[in-house]
Amino acid sequence: MTARARGYFVTLEGGEGAGKTTNLQAITAQLDAAGIDWIATREPGGTALAEKIRELLLAAEGEAPHEVTELLLMFAARAQHLEEVIKPALARGQWVVCDRFTDATYAYQGGGRGQSEETIQQLEKLVQKDLQPDLTFLLDMPVEKAAERLQTRGQQKDRFEQEKQDFFSRVRDAYLKQALKNPLRFRVLDASQPLDQVQADLKEALLPSILAWKQAQPKSAQ
Ligand code: Z5A
């Protein structure tokens, strides 16, 4: 087997409608062009069991999870996803591109629902040990503008999407706080720009990581 360095872990974060799903495809296209092997995944979800937990968390109807239940279910899904999908892919030398990860927990369960940072940190330590994304893109935009964008979508709203503007403002603030606390890992992009400009910014911000990672590969794996 060819010796390879560890893969690379990229996460995409942002409020709803910021364009994570759309821009994830731009990232994987750039990785393809660079000849890099990748997997794309999402949270909550990414394995059969974690996708079942996602359904429970997002269901708009029925018994709503208590805030602590919601927090624990996010980390339960994450534990399964990490062990079954993320860690094995990184160990194989693949890039993992993940639509949301633990920064979303700080933003939604912390900022949105008011769970303490300390509690989230304890669960993060339990589930992730020292594993953190290598690079996180925060697609940031004003909450009102994202809401306008989503008005045209017209599909049924999940439990989070039914929250009020005030909730999403707290989520945005918590995301920006995470970015300030982790400046080496975060790249904050202005997601309110036209899509081609957002993708140009994304491409430019991703390129140094691609080049550095390729440079670090053993010669036999290049
Ligand atoms: N959650 C949590 O609470 N705690 C956690 O730890 C985790 C998650 C991991 C599901 O996530 C929920 O889980 C989420 C937080 C919670 N709830 N909320 N809200 P999700 O990622 O599956 O759900 P989402 O944020 O609602 O995803 P989304 O609505 O699909 O948004 P998106 O992926 O960011 O956007 P998009 O689908 O790529 O784009 C939306 C539309 O805008 C679409 O029509 C695009 O064509 C358009 N678009 C995108 N970019 C542009 C630009 N630049 N200009 C114009 N139009 C654009």
Side-chain angles (χ1 to χ4, degrees), residues 108-146:
Y108 284 81
Q109 282 63 54
R113 305 264 192 245
Q115 293 297 300
S116 81
E117 208 170 290
E118 198 184 17
T119 304
I120 299 173
Q121 276 166 353
Q122 283 170 355
L123 291 168
E124 181 181 29
K125 196 78 195 154
L126 172 76
V127 168
Q128 292 167 226
K129 313 280 185 301
D130 291 327
L131 192 145
Q132 289 292 334
D134 296 295
L135 180 64
T136 297
F137 290 108
L138 173 57
L139 296 167
D140 177 58
M141 66 188 291
V143 169
E144 310 76 42
K145 218 165 171 182

Side-chain angles (χ1 to χ4, degrees), residues 2 6 9 22 37 41 46 50 55 91 130 134 136 143 151-152 168:
T2 322
R6 171 187 175 276
F9 188 17
T22 312
D37 192 12
T41 185
E55 276 175 39
D130 291 327
D134 296 295
T136 297
V143 169
Q151 260 172 8
T152 50
F168 293 111

Side-chain angles (χ1 to χ4, degrees), residues 8 30 41 51 77-78 108 123 149 155 172 185 188-189 194 205:
Y8 198 82
Q30 194 176 349
T41 185
E51 288 289 333
R78 182 160 301 133
Y108 284 81
L123 291 168
R149 199 180 268 176
Q155 67 195 34
R172 184 185 184 205
R185 173 164 68 83
V188 181
L189 302 178

Side-chain angles (χ1 to χ4, degrees), residues 12-25 42-45 54 57-58 70-71 74-75 78 98-110 113 139 141 146 149-150 152-153 155 158-163 167-168 171 175 190-199:
L12 271 161
E13 299 284 1
E16 58 153 6
K20 295 178 305 324
T21 312
T22 312
N23 287 299
L24 189 142
Q25 287 157 15
R42 69 171 180 183
E43 289 213 349
R54 178 187 177 93
L57 283 163
L58 299 194
E70 183 180 277
L71 175 65
M74 287 295 172
F75 273 106
R78 182 160 301 133
C98 191
D99 189 338
R100 296 197 190 278
F101 193 62
T102 305
D103 296 304
T105 311
Y106 283 100
Y108 284 81
Q109 282 63 54
R113 305 264 192 245
L139 296 167
M141 66 188 291
R149 199 180 268 176
L150 289 176
T152 50
R153 191 150 70 171
Q155 67 195 34
D158 68 36
R159 213 164 47 75
F160 288 97
E161 289 164 351
Q162 291 177 351
E163 290 292 340
F167 174 88
F168 293 111
V171 166
Y175 264 134
D190 177 0
S192 67
Q193 303 176 98
L195 186 57
D196 52 357
Q197 187 56 54
V198 177
Q199 296 195 335

Side-chain angles (χ1 to χ4, degrees), residues 45-101:
T47 80
L49 178 58
E51 288 289 333
K52 283 189 183 158
I53 297 175
R54 178 187 177 93
E55 276 175 39
L56 294 173
L57 283 163
L58 299 194
E61 281 161 21
E63 181 185 350
H66 183 274
E67 288 166 7
V68 174
T69 313
E70 183 180 277
L71 175 65
L72 292 172
L73 285 174
M74 287 295 172
F75 273 106
R78 182 160 301 133
Q80 191 71 12
H81 188 211
L82 271 169
E83 297 307 324
E84 292 291 319
V85 175
I86 297 177
K87 286 189 192 170
L90 292 174
R92 285 193 298 270
Q94 290 179 302
W95 278 49
V96 175
V97 187
C98 191
D99 189 338
R100 296 197 190 278
F101 193 62

